[in-house]
């Protein structure tokens, strides 16, 4: 269990299409076809899941606002890894434009 978790929360209703065994990254597909990769930290695959906890499995259906991954930001930084989290739309050519909006309901 993570002592001071930071949560990766589902940004939309959809399906978990990829969940790395090292728990540092997750792929989601929305009901309307957005393919999203959320990658916690840089080179954190090298932690082999340490400081990470998952709450879903590949193939699960998820709801917007649902907890997907928890991680200990401080421990990851103390281990020497950058903690930037990337949110990447992997199928951007399928859309005319892509924009990000903050959801105040999740604060």
């Amino acid at each position: 269990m993570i002592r001071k978790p930071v949560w990766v929360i589902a940004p939309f209703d959809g399906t978990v299409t990829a969940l790395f065994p090292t728990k540092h990254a997750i792929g989601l597909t929305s009901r309307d076809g957005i393919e999203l990769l959320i990658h916690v930290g840089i080179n954190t695959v090298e932690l082999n899941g340490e400081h990470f906890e998952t709450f879903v499995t590949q193939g699960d259906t998820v709801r917007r606002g649902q907890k997907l991954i928890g991680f200990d930001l401080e421990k990851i930084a103390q281990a020497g890894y950058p903690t930037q989290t990337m949110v990447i739309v992997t199928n951007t050519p399928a859309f005319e434009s892509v924009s990000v909006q903050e959801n105040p309901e999740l604060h």
Side-chain angles (χ1 to χ4, degrees), residues 33-105:
I34 299 168
E35 296 174 3
L36 199 68
L37 174 66
I38 303 171
H39 189 288
V40 178
I42 298 173
N43 295 325
T44 50
V45 65
E46 296 171 357
L47 290 170
N48 293 313
E50 189 175 355
H51 313 306
F52 291 90
E53 184 175 9
T54 57
F55 300 95
V56 294
T57 59
Q58 189 165 324
D60 282 358
T61 299
V62 296
R63 304 282 312 193
R64 186 177 106 195
Q66 181 177 340
K67 285 193 288 191
L68 306 174
I69 298 173
F71 59 96
D72 190 322
L73 192 67
E74 291 178 17
K75 294 276 187 184
I76 293 169
Q78 288 171 359
Y81 293 88
T83 58
Q84 291 89 343
T85 297
M86 294 146 281
V87 179
I88 304 161
V89 177
T90 60
N91 64 335
T92 53
F95 300 95
E96 189 172 304
S97 66
V98 176
S99 63
V100 177
Q101 298 176 348
E102 185 176 347
N103 184 347
E105 295 174 17

